[in-house]
């Protein structure tokens, strides 16, 4: 029916927008993770922190890396879902995916 097709196109449009948002979130986490790395890669910064030290730079970087990994998994799943929808060879679904990707990137 027309309502079913319109709802399908809307869902694909929203999934495509979400894909772009996740991609941007992953890039933001990468930037934060790179800023959390120590500025100097001398021998002192590569060894284990002393017992009195907190090692916050390593912990912060690790948390960002775990976040990036989760964002990557979500991005791959969303990408495959949109790809499978487009592989239905329906022109309206294809246009919904293109419009969602465009709107998601713009926003």
């Amino acid at each position: 029916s027309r309502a079913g097709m319109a709802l399908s196109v809307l869902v694909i449009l929203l999934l495509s927008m979400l894909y772009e948002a996740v991609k941007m979130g992953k890039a933001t986490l990468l930037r934060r993770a790179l800023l959390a790395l120590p500025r100097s890669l001398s021998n002192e910064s590569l060894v284990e922190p002393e017992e009195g030290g907190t090692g916050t730079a390593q912990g912060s970087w690790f948390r960002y890396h775990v976040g990036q990994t989760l964002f990557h998994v979500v991005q791959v799943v969303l990408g495959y879902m949109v790809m499978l929808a487009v592989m239905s060879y329906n022109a309206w679904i294809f246009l919904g995916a293109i419009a969602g990707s465009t709107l998601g990137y713009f926003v």
Side-chain angles (χ1 to χ4, degrees), residues 15-92:
L15 282 176
S16 296
M17 287 181 70
L18 183 61
Y19 175 83
E20 291 293 331
V22 168
K23 188 168 71 169
M24 187 52 134
K26 191 171 132 183
T28 301
L29 274 179
L30 174 63
R31 184 173 46 245
R32 289 182 183 176
L34 290 176
L35 290 174
L37 286 174
R39 297 264 184 226
S40 169
L41 291 179
S42 65
N43 288 339
E44 291 82 21
S45 67
L46 293 176
V47 297
E48 292 292 322
E50 297 176 7
E51 290 186 22
T54 59
T56 57
Q58 275 186 328
S60 175
W61 179 85
F62 182 74
R63 281 191 308 248
Y64 286 129
H65 189 64
V66 169
Q68 280 183 297
T69 302
L70 295 175
F71 267 96
H72 178 74
V73 169
V74 171
Q75 182 183 5
V76 167
V77 168
L78 287 173
Y80 276 116
M81 287 173 63
V82 171
M83 180 194 66
L84 285 173
V86 168
M87 292 301 292
S88 69
Y89 298 108
N90 186 317
W92 292 109

